[in-house]
Amino acid sequence: LYSRPVEGPIYSQFGLEFEIAPLFFLDRDGSGTDGRPLYYGFTTSFGFPLARTPRPNHYISVEFLGAFDSTDILVPRFEGDPNKVSVDTKSRMFSLLANYKYYMAPLMRERIYPYFTAGIGNSFKSVKVTANRAMLDGDDSSILTLQGGIGLRVRITDNFGLRSGYHLLFINNQDYGTYNINNGVYPVREGSELLHALDLGMSLSF
């Protein structure tokens, strides 16, 4: 029984790919902020094949990802107080990730290429905490980040395509700063978090 190897989508001299896309965040889980909205972000990556073949399907890529967030969190005015005040947190996160991508067998006469990806890296997050327009605290942190995802690349020409994918990001041990009320310092939120996002962008090969 003859079975040919799976071929990737890129016809190019070097098999290199460059991808860029906006990110649309859908939901979050964890850190006591379940269901809070996320605003927007972006992702860009540069990938190279693990083997020199005419159409490689195993890739390693370096990805730069950004996420911008504004969240209102209810916190007690002091420890044990049943009444709560609203604290506004604004954050910027930039992630640098190393990913493995595998292109699966093509669909629709080799026009659509499903893929899955997994990666690890680090996120650099800056958070500002305000209440009643007064700055309460800020926090800058470096956070271990894991990523998994699936997607599709649609081949338009030999060197240009569209891509769309789902990202699941695990952000480890982050915090949303502290606030100081009645001579007490309290954390706004702490813990790990899962972020869910979709992207829609373009892919170029060289």
Side-chain angles (χ1 to χ4, degrees), residues 60-73:
I60 293 294
S61 68
V62 177
E63 180 179 10
F64 182 62
L65 181 148
F68 307 92
D69 184 16
S70 179
T71 304
D72 291 327
I73 301 176

Side-chain angles (χ1 to χ4, degrees), residues 3-4 6 26 48 51-52 65 102 104 110 116-117 119 123 125 134 139 148 151 158-159 161 168 179 184:
S3 177
R4 68 175 185 176
V6 174
L26 306 176
F48 55 91
R52 289 299 303 272
L65 181 148
Y102 175 75
M104 292 172 274
E110 299 191 348
F116 70 83
T117 183
S123 294
K125 190 167 187 177
D139 180 78
D158 288 349
N159 300 99
L168 176 62
Y179 64 101

